[in-house]
Amino acid sequence: MATVVSLDPDTLVGWFDRVARDLPWRDPDCTGWGVLVSEIMLQQTPVARVEPIWREWLARWPAPSALAAASQGEVLRAWGKLGYPRRALRLHAAATAIAAEHGDVVPSDVDTLLALPGIGAYTARAVAAFAYGQRCPVVDTNVRRVVARAVHGAGDAGPPSTTRDMADVEALLPTDPARAARYSAALMELGAVVCVARSPRCADCPVYQDCAWQRAGRPAYAGPAKVVQKFAGTDRQVRGRLLDVLRGAPGPVPRAALDAAWDEAGQRDRCLHSLLVDGLVEQTDDGLFGLPGEA
């Protein structure tokens, strides 16, 4: 279905200017580095959990070179309970490249950002837009849901399609780069706090009158069933338990300390192996286990 430009920039940006959450990475003085750290941390992690850790990181490592000088073990300890700890190692790798190749300044160009280790299409465009005021489509789950409802009249977004999703948002963006960046932030905020997946707050929506989903009678989502991610008992939980042991220890620990973290031996062994393969855990010559750089 073709995109119909129906979300008025003046209305949406005006709403955002009035009600946007006061987040530290939105401060006009926040550097590209601060924005990059926030975008990596916010992937699959709620704002409330990210903000205190973000503040600690920026106080401890205010520039890429500062983080690059830290060991991977230090970085993983500081990552704490944010989850998906490979993100911490990717951020460390990106910081190392920025310090060595870009004068310790996060690049503003999307293609240059994409060339950094561990930086994907979403993160590159988010940094270009939110740190440097560039006009480029920034598409996350919240934005996809807003476009699906307000533009296409669907109950929710179907399976992602990079080409289609980018084209949808590109067509909505104002021409002026700074205005487009602000509009992108407003779209994202709308999906995060008003046009939420369950029980959307339509009465608070600034584009209620233009919403195709409202005009269609708010039809239920009829697309493919979404996979609901569980956590309890999964390998992700076990990996987290094993890393918790290492983060809480002053140095490498014996295998018995890890064995006590999870009862099911087969799953525990599989998860420990995957952590070793991912570079999140290292083994010493005498058989102890520790965080990278500490074993």
Side-chain angles (χ1 to χ4, degrees), residues 72-113:
Q72 290 182 324
E74 288 179 88
V75 171
L76 286 172
R77 287 180 189 278
W79 191 257
K81 303 288 286 183
L82 285 180
Y84 301 100
R86 277 179 289 184
R87 293 180 294 166
L89 297 187
R90 290 199 294 267
L91 187 52
H92 185 265
T96 301
I98 293 166
E101 302 167 15
H102 300 284
D104 215 19
V105 176
V106 174
S108 60
D109 175 71
V110 170
D111 289 338
T112 307
L113 286 161

mmCIF file of all heavy atoms in Angstrom, residues 72-113:
data_model
loop_
_atom_site.group_PDB
_atom_site.id
_atom_site.type_symbol
_atom_site.label_atom_id
_atom_site.label_comp_id
_atom_site.label_asym_id
_atom_site.label_seq_id
_atom_site.Cartn_x
_atom_site.Cartn_y
_atom_site.Cartn_z
ATOM 1 N N GLN A 72 37.864 -4.928 28.272
ATOM 2 C CA GLN A 72 36.539 -5.468 27.997
ATOM 3 C C GLN A 72 35.868 -5.932 29.283
ATOM 4 O O GLN A 72 34.646 -5.813 29.431
ATOM 5 C CB GLN A 72 36.652 -6.620 27.003
ATOM 6 C CG GLN A 72 37.024 -6.192 25.601
ATOM 7 C CD GLN A 72 37.083 -7.366 24.644
ATOM 8 O OE1 GLN A 72 37.502 -8.466 25.007
ATOM 9 N NE2 GLN A 72 36.670 -7.142 23.412
ATOM 10 N N GLY A 73 36.650 -6.438 30.210
ATOM 11 C CA GLY A 73 36.087 -6.860 31.485
ATOM 12 C C GLY A 73 35.477 -5.697 32.247
ATOM 13 O O GLY A 73 34.377 -5.803 32.808
ATOM 14 N N GLU A 74 36.179 -4.553 32.281
ATOM 15 C CA GLU A 74 35.639 -3.358 32.935
ATOM 16 C C GLU A 74 34.326 -2.934 32.287
ATOM 17 O O GLU A 74 33.367 -2.551 32.972
ATOM 18 C CB GLU A 74 36.639 -2.209 32.827
ATOM 19 C CG GLU A 74 37.884 -2.317 33.669
ATOM 20 C CD GLU A 74 38.792 -1.120 33.439
ATOM 21 O OE1 GLU A 74 38.604 -0.107 34.144
ATOM 22 O OE2 GLU A 74 39.653 -1.188 32.550
ATOM 23 N N VAL A 75 34.295 -2.992 30.966
ATOM 24 C CA VAL A 75 33.114 -2.567 30.230
ATOM 25 C C VAL A 75 31.931 -3.476 30.551
ATOM 26 O O VAL A 75 30.808 -3.012 30.762
ATOM 27 C CB VAL A 75 33.413 -2.544 28.715
ATOM 28 C CG1 VAL A 75 32.143 -2.315 27.911
ATOM 29 C CG2 VAL A 75 34.445 -1.462 28.403
ATOM 30 N N LEU A 76 32.173 -4.780 30.606
ATOM 31 C CA LEU A 76 31.096 -5.714 30.910
ATOM 32 C C LEU A 76 30.603 -5.552 32.346
ATOM 33 O O LEU A 76 29.414 -5.699 32.623
ATOM 34 C CB LEU A 76 31.558 -7.145 30.661
ATOM 35 C CG LEU A 76 31.673 -7.556 29.193
ATOM 36 C CD1 LEU A 76 32.323 -8.922 29.069
ATOM 37 C CD2 LEU A 76 30.306 -7.572 28.522
ATOM 38 N N ARG A 77 31.516 -5.249 33.263
ATOM 39 C CA ARG A 77 31.075 -5.004 34.639
ATOM 40 C C ARG A 77 30.176 -3.766 34.700
ATOM 41 O O ARG A 77 29.140 -3.757 35.366
ATOM 42 C CB ARG A 77 32.286 -4.802 35.551
ATOM 43 C CG ARG A 77 33.064 -6.066 35.857
ATOM 44 C CD ARG A 77 34.245 -5.773 36.766
ATOM 45 N NE ARG A 77 35.108 -6.938 36.892
ATOM 46 C CZ ARG A 77 34.886 -7.955 37.718
ATOM 47 N NH1 ARG A 77 33.815 -7.915 38.491
ATOM 48 N NH2 ARG A 77 35.697 -8.981 37.761
ATOM 49 N N ALA A 78 30.581 -2.721 34.011
ATOM 50 C CA ALA A 78 29.810 -1.478 34.035
ATOM 51 C C ALA A 78 28.477 -1.620 33.310
ATOM 52 O O ALA A 78 27.532 -0.890 33.604
ATOM 53 C CB ALA A 78 30.629 -0.351 33.407
ATOM 54 N N TRP A 79 28.397 -2.544 32.362
ATOM 55 C CA TRP A 79 27.138 -2.780 31.639
ATOM 56 C C TRP A 79 26.068 -3.291 32.588
ATOM 57 O O TRP A 79 24.868 -3.027 32.400
ATOM 58 C CB TRP A 79 27.390 -3.779 30.516
ATOM 59 C CG TRP A 79 26.272 -3.920 29.530
ATOM 60 C CD1 TRP A 79 25.370 -4.944 29.453
ATOM 61 C CD2 TRP A 79 25.950 -3.021 28.459
ATOM 62 N NE1 TRP A 79 24.509 -4.748 28.405
ATOM 63 C CE2 TRP A 79 24.839 -3.570 27.775
ATOM 64 C CE3 TRP A 79 26.481 -1.818 28.020
ATOM 65 C CZ2 TRP A 79 24.248 -2.939 26.682
ATOM 66 C CZ3 TRP A 79 25.900 -1.197 26.924
ATOM 67 C CH2 TRP A 79 24.790 -1.764 26.269
ATOM 68 N N GLY A 80 26.483 -4.013 33.609
ATOM 69 C CA GLY A 80 25.559 -4.466 34.644
ATOM 70 C C GLY A 80 24.438 -5.339 34.108
ATOM 71 O O GLY A 80 24.661 -6.278 33.360
ATOM 72 N N LYS A 81 23.195 -4.974 34.458
ATOM 73 C CA LYS A 81 22.027 -5.803 34.155
ATOM 74 C C LYS A 81 21.232 -5.283 32.956
ATOM 75 O O LYS A 81 20.040 -5.541 32.844
ATOM 76 C CB LYS A 81 21.116 -5.843 35.386
ATOM 77 C CG LYS A 81 21.792 -6.344 36.648
ATOM 78 C CD LYS A 81 22.070 -7.832 36.641
ATOM 79 C CE LYS A 81 20.808 -8.627 36.842
ATOM 80 N NZ LYS A 81 21.064 -10.080 36.916
ATOM 81 N N LEU A 82 21.882 -4.564 32.055
ATOM 82 C CA LEU A 82 21.157 -4.046 30.894
ATOM 83 C C LEU A 82 20.746 -5.151 29.922
ATOM 84 O O LEU A 82 19.857 -4.953 29.105
ATOM 85 C CB LEU A 82 22.007 -3.008 30.147
ATOM 86 C CG LEU A 82 22.135 -1.638 30.804
ATOM 87 C CD1 LEU A 82 23.012 -0.729 29.948
ATOM 88 C CD2 LEU A 82 20.772 -1.001 31.020
ATOM 89 N N GLY A 83 21.397 -6.291 29.990
ATOM 90 C CA GLY A 83 21.050 -7.390 29.099
ATOM 91 C C GLY A 83 21.752 -7.297 27.751
ATOM 92 O O GLY A 83 22.296 -6.261 27.379
ATOM 93 N N TYR A 84 21.738 -8.414 27.021
ATOM 94 C CA TYR A 84 22.388 -8.491 25.705
ATOM 95 C C TYR A 84 23.793 -7.886 25.773
ATOM 96 O O TYR A 84 24.101 -6.893 25.095
ATOM 97 C CB TYR A 84 21.540 -7.792 24.637
ATOM 98 C CG TYR A 84 20.154 -8.373 24.488
ATOM 99 C CD1 TYR A 84 19.053 -7.757 25.090
ATOM 100 C CD2 TYR A 84 19.951 -9.551 23.764
ATOM 101 C CE1 TYR A 84 17.781 -8.304 24.971
ATOM 102 C CE2 TYR A 84 18.678 -10.100 23.636
ATOM 103 C CZ TYR A 84 17.602 -9.475 24.246
ATOM 104 O OH TYR A 84 16.339 -10.021 24.127
ATOM 105 N N PRO A 85 24.690 -8.471 26.594
ATOM 106 C CA PRO A 85 25.987 -7.838 26.866
ATOM 107 C C PRO A 85 26.914 -7.745 25.661
ATOM 108 O O PRO A 85 27.905 -7.003 25.713
ATOM 109 C CB PRO A 85 26.589 -8.732 27.953
ATOM 110 C CG PRO A 85 25.917 -10.058 27.778
ATOM 111 C CD PRO A 85 24.521 -9.731 27.347
ATOM 112 N N ARG A 86 26.629 -8.464 24.589
ATOM 113 C CA ARG A 86 27.467 -8.302 23.404
ATOM 114 C C ARG A 86 27.421 -6.862 22.900
ATOM 115 O O ARG A 86 28.346 -6.391 22.226
ATOM 116 C CB ARG A 86 27.027 -9.267 22.303
ATOM 117 C CG ARG A 86 27.620 -10.668 22.459
ATOM 118 C CD ARG A 86 27.154 -11.602 21.384
ATOM 119 N NE ARG A 86 25.741 -11.950 21.538
ATOM 120 C CZ ARG A 86 25.102 -12.823 20.773
ATOM 121 N NH1 ARG A 86 25.739 -13.397 19.764
ATOM 122 N NH2 ARG A 86 23.831 -13.113 20.979
ATOM 123 N N ARG A 87 26.335 -6.155 23.234
ATOM 124 C CA ARG A 87 26.252 -4.743 22.860
ATOM 125 C C ARG A 87 27.393 -3.944 23.486
ATOM 126 O O ARG A 87 27.916 -2.999 22.880
ATOM 127 C CB ARG A 87 24.907 -4.149 23.284
ATOM 128 C CG ARG A 87 23.715 -4.706 22.544
ATOM 129 C CD ARG A 87 22.425 -4.047 23.025
ATOM 130 N NE ARG A 87 22.119 -4.376 24.409
ATOM 131 C CZ ARG A 87 21.221 -3.740 25.155
ATOM 132 N NH1 ARG A 87 20.559 -2.713 24.654
ATOM 133 N NH2 ARG A 87 20.980 -4.105 26.394
ATOM 134 N N ALA A 88 27.771 -4.306 24.708
ATOM 135 C CA ALA A 88 28.860 -3.596 25.390
ATOM 136 C C ALA A 88 30.173 -3.785 24.643
ATOM 137 O O ALA A 88 30.954 -2.831 24.487
ATOM 138 C CB ALA A 88 28.982 -4.096 26.828
ATOM 139 N N LEU A 89 30.423 -5.000 24.181
ATOM 140 C CA LEU A 89 31.658 -5.252 23.441
ATOM 141 C C LEU A 89 31.640 -4.558 22.084
ATOM 142 O O LEU A 89 32.668 -4.071 21.608
ATOM 143 C CB LEU A 89 31.877 -6.756 23.269
ATOM 144 C CG LEU A 89 32.068 -7.572 24.552
ATOM 145 C CD1 LEU A 89 32.454 -9.007 24.222
ATOM 146 C CD2 LEU A 89 33.121 -6.924 25.462
ATOM 147 N N ARG A 90 30.460 -4.502 21.450
ATOM 148 C CA ARG A 90 30.368 -3.794 20.172
ATOM 149 C C ARG A 90 30.631 -2.297 20.367
ATOM 150 O O ARG A 90 31.290 -1.657 19.546
ATOM 151 C CB ARG A 90 28.990 -4.018 19.538
ATOM 152 C CG ARG A 90 28.778 -5.442 19.040
ATOM 153 C CD ARG A 90 27.644 -5.502 18.040
ATOM 154 N NE ARG A 90 26.348 -5.173 18.631
ATOM 155 C CZ ARG A 90 25.503 -6.063 19.125
ATOM 156 N NH1 ARG A 90 25.824 -7.354 19.116
ATOM 157 N NH2 ARG A 90 24.329 -5.691 19.620
ATOM 158 N N LEU A 91 30.106 -1.744 21.455
ATOM 159 C CA LEU A 91 30.328 -0.331 21.733
ATOM 160 C C LEU A 91 31.804 -0.067 22.018
ATOM 161 O O LEU A 91 32.364 0.949 21.587
ATOM 162 C CB LEU A 91 29.460 0.100 22.917
ATOM 163 C CG LEU A 91 29.429 1.586 23.273
ATOM 164 C CD1 LEU A 91 29.112 2.442 22.052
ATOM 165 C CD2 LEU A 91 28.411 1.840 24.377
ATOM 166 N N HIS A 92 32.441 -0.974 22.718
ATOM 167 C CA HIS A 92 33.873 -0.853 23.002
ATOM 168 C C HIS A 92 34.669 -0.882 21.698
ATOM 169 O O HIS A 92 35.602 -0.073 21.505
ATOM 170 C CB HIS A 92 34.308 -1.992 23.923
ATOM 171 C CG HIS A 92 35.733 -1.903 24.371
ATOM 172 N ND1 HIS A 92 36.751 -2.560 23.723
ATOM 173 C CD2 HIS A 92 36.314 -1.232 25.407
ATOM 174 C CE1 HIS A 92 37.892 -2.307 24.331
ATOM 175 N NE2 HIS A 92 37.668 -1.502 25.355
ATOM 176 N N ALA A 93 34.306 -1.773 20.793
ATOM 177 C CA ALA A 93 34.994 -1.859 19.505
ATOM 178 C C ALA A 93 34.781 -0.595 18.681
ATOM 179 O O ALA A 93 35.710 -0.074 18.041
ATOM 180 C CB ALA A 93 34.510 -3.089 18.733
ATOM 181 N N ALA A 94 33.551 -0.075 18.681
ATOM 182 C CA ALA A 94 33.271 1.163 17.944
ATOM 183 C C ALA A 94 34.057 2.326 18.534
ATOM 184 O O ALA A 94 34.607 3.153 17.796
ATOM 185 C CB ALA A 94 31.776 1.458 17.974
ATOM 186 N N ALA A 95 34.123 2.404 19.862
ATOM 187 C CA ALA A 95 34.868 3.477 20.517
ATOM 188 C C ALA A 95 36.340 3.422 20.143
ATOM 189 O O ALA A 95 36.979 4.467 19.907
ATOM 190 C CB ALA A 95 34.705 3.372 22.036
ATOM 191 N N THR A 96 36.875 2.220 20.072
ATOM 192 C CA THR A 96 38.284 2.052 19.702
ATOM 193 C C THR A 96 38.533 2.580 18.290
ATOM 194 O O THR A 96 39.515 3.287 18.030
ATOM 195 C CB THR A 96 38.680 0.579 19.806
ATOM 196 O OG1 THR A 96 38.455 0.116 21.159
ATOM 197 C CG2 THR A 96 40.134 0.366 19.441
ATOM 198 N N ALA A 97 37.628 2.259 17.366
ATOM 199 C CA ALA A 97 37.774 2.723 15.984
ATOM 200 C C ALA A 97 37.597 4.243 15.885
ATOM 201 O O ALA A 97 38.325 4.923 15.149
ATOM 202 C CB ALA A 97 36.759 2.019 15.093
ATOM 203 N N ILE A 98 36.638 4.793 16.630
ATOM 204 C CA ILE A 98 36.409 6.246 16.597
ATOM 205 C C ILE A 98 37.619 6.991 17.126
ATOM 206 O O ILE A 98 38.048 8.011 16.566
ATOM 207 C CB ILE A 98 35.145 6.599 17.410
ATOM 208 C CG1 ILE A 98 33.894 6.028 16.729
ATOM 209 C CG2 ILE A 98 35.004 8.116 17.568
ATOM 210 C CD1 ILE A 98 32.669 6.026 17.618
ATOM 211 N N ALA A 99 38.203 6.490 18.225
ATOM 212 C CA ALA A 99 39.376 7.137 18.803
ATOM 213 C C ALA A 99 40.570 7.070 17.855
ATOM 214 O O ALA A 99 41.321 8.046 17.714
ATOM 215 C CB ALA A 99 39.718 6.484 20.144
ATOM 216 N N ALA A 100 40.744 5.935 17.173
ATOM 217 C CA ALA A 100 41.921 5.738 16.330
ATOM 218 C C ALA A 100 41.789 6.357 14.949
ATOM 219 O O ALA A 100 42.780 6.826 14.376
ATOM 220 C CB ALA A 100 42.202 4.239 16.205
ATOM 221 N N GLU A 101 40.573 6.363 14.415
ATOM 222 C CA GLU A 101 40.404 6.720 13.002
ATOM 223 C C GLU A 101 39.638 8.021 12.766
ATOM 224 O O GLU A 101 39.647 8.551 11.645
ATOM 225 C CB GLU A 101 39.676 5.587 12.275
ATOM 226 C CG GLU A 101 40.396 4.244 12.366
ATOM 227 C CD GLU A 101 39.524 3.082 11.910
ATOM 228 O OE1 GLU A 101 38.477 3.345 11.268
ATOM 229 O OE2 GLU A 101 39.870 1.937 12.228
ATOM 230 N N HIS A 102 38.967 8.551 13.806
ATOM 231 C CA HIS A 102 38.106 9.717 13.585
ATOM 232 C C HIS A 102 38.356 10.840 14.590
ATOM 233 O O HIS A 102 37.447 11.634 14.872
ATOM 234 C CB HIS A 102 36.637 9.287 13.615
ATOM 235 C CG HIS A 102 36.287 8.271 12.571
ATOM 236 N ND1 HIS A 102 36.129 8.591 11.235
ATOM 237 C CD2 HIS A 102 36.101 6.927 12.661
ATOM 238 C CE1 HIS A 102 35.840 7.498 10.548
ATOM 239 N NE2 HIS A 102 35.821 6.479 11.384
ATOM 240 N N GLY A 103 39.561 10.900 15.109
ATOM 241 C CA GLY A 103 39.907 11.997 16.005
ATOM 242 C C GLY A 103 39.091 12.057 17.274
ATOM 243 O O GLY A 103 38.892 13.137 17.830
ATOM 244 N N ASP A 104 38.603 10.925 17.717
ATOM 245 C CA ASP A 104 37.820 10.821 18.953
ATOM 246 C C ASP A 104 36.460 11.506 18.851
ATOM 247 O O ASP A 104 35.856 11.858 19.868
ATOM 248 C CB ASP A 104 38.601 11.402 20.141
ATOM 249 C CG ASP A 104 38.342 10.642 21.443
ATOM 250 O OD1 ASP A 104 37.874 9.490 21.371
ATOM 251 O OD2 ASP A 104 38.614 11.203 22.517
ATOM 252 N N VAL A 105 35.973 11.705 17.628
ATOM 253 C CA VAL A 105 34.666 12.319 17.410
ATOM 254 C C VAL A 105 33.785 11.347 16.633
ATOM 255 O O VAL A 105 34.200 10.825 15.587
ATOM 256 C CB VAL A 105 34.790 13.636 16.621
ATOM 257 C CG1 VAL A 105 33.408 14.226 16.323
ATOM 258 C CG2 VAL A 105 35.629 14.645 17.398
ATOM 259 N N VAL A 106 32.592 11.104 17.114
ATOM 260 C CA VAL A 106 31.667 10.207 16.422
ATOM 261 C C VAL A 106 31.326 10.806 15.058
ATOM 262 O O VAL A 106 30.923 11.972 14.985
ATOM 263 C CB VAL A 106 30.387 9.998 17.252
ATOM 264 C CG1 VAL A 106 29.359 9.186 16.476
ATOM 265 C CG2 VAL A 106 30.716 9.309 18.574
ATOM 266 N N PRO A 107 31.471 10.039 13.984
ATOM 267 C CA PRO A 107 31.173 10.577 12.650
ATOM 268 C C PRO A 107 29.702 10.979 12.512
ATOM 269 O O PRO A 107 28.827 10.456 13.205
ATOM 270 C CB PRO A 107 31.513 9.406 11.712
ATOM 271 C CG PRO A 107 32.424 8.526 12.496
ATOM 272 C CD PRO A 107 31.996 8.668 13.920
ATOM 273 N N SER A 108 29.455 11.900 11.577
ATOM 274 C CA SER A 108 28.089 12.354 11.341
ATOM 275 C C SER A 108 27.479 11.737 10.093
ATOM 276 O O SER A 108 26.263 11.816 9.895
ATOM 277 C CB SER A 108 28.069 13.888 11.207
ATOM 278 O OG SER A 108 28.885 14.306 10.126
ATOM 279 N N ASP A 109 28.300 11.140 9.250
ATOM 280 C CA ASP A 109 27.845 10.586 7.987
ATOM 281 C C ASP A 109 27.362 9.150 8.169
ATOM 282 O O ASP A 109 28.042 8.331 8.812
ATOM 283 C CB ASP A 109 29.000 10.624 6.975
ATOM 284 C CG ASP A 109 28.652 9.959 5.666
ATOM 285 O OD1 ASP A 109 27.841 10.516 4.906
ATOM 286 O OD2 ASP A 109 29.174 8.844 5.417
ATOM 287 N N VAL A 110 26.205 8.811 7.619
ATOM 288 C CA VAL A 110 25.621 7.483 7.811
ATOM 289 C C VAL A 110 26.558 6.385 7.317
ATOM 290 O O VAL A 110 26.787 5.381 8.005
ATOM 291 C CB VAL A 110 24.250 7.379 7.106
ATOM 292 C CG1 VAL A 110 23.754 5.931 7.100
ATOM 293 C CG2 VAL A 110 23.231 8.265 7.808
ATOM 294 N N ASP A 111 27.115 6.542 6.124
ATOM 295 C CA ASP A 111 27.992 5.503 5.581
ATOM 296 C C ASP A 111 29.237 5.311 6.435
ATOM 297 O O ASP A 111 29.708 4.182 6.616
ATOM 298 C CB ASP A 111 28.388 5.836 4.139
ATOM 299 C CG ASP A 111 27.230 5.684 3.166
ATOM 300 O OD1 ASP A 111 26.270 4.952 3.503
ATOM 301 O OD2 ASP A 111 27.256 6.304 2.090
ATOM 302 N N THR A 112 29.796 6.396 6.950
ATOM 303 C CA THR A 112 30.970 6.289 7.825
ATOM 304 C C THR A 112 30.594 5.613 9.129
ATOM 305 O O THR A 112 31.351 4.782 9.661
ATOM 306 C CB THR A 112 31.565 7.680 8.095
ATOM 307 O OG1 THR A 112 31.811 8.347 6.857
ATOM 308 C CG2 THR A 112 32.875 7.568 8.852
ATOM 309 N N LEU A 113 29.440 5.942 9.659
ATOM 310 C CA LEU A 113 28.965 5.278 10.876
ATOM 311 C C LEU A 113 28.765 3.787 10.648
ATOM 312 O O LEU A 113 29.115 2.954 11.492
ATOM 313 C CB LEU A 113 27.657 5.922 11.347
ATOM 314 C CG LEU A 113 27.786 7.299 12.003
ATOM 315 C CD1 LEU A 113 26.445 8.028 11.995
ATOM 316 C CD2 LEU A 113 28.307 7.158 13.428
#
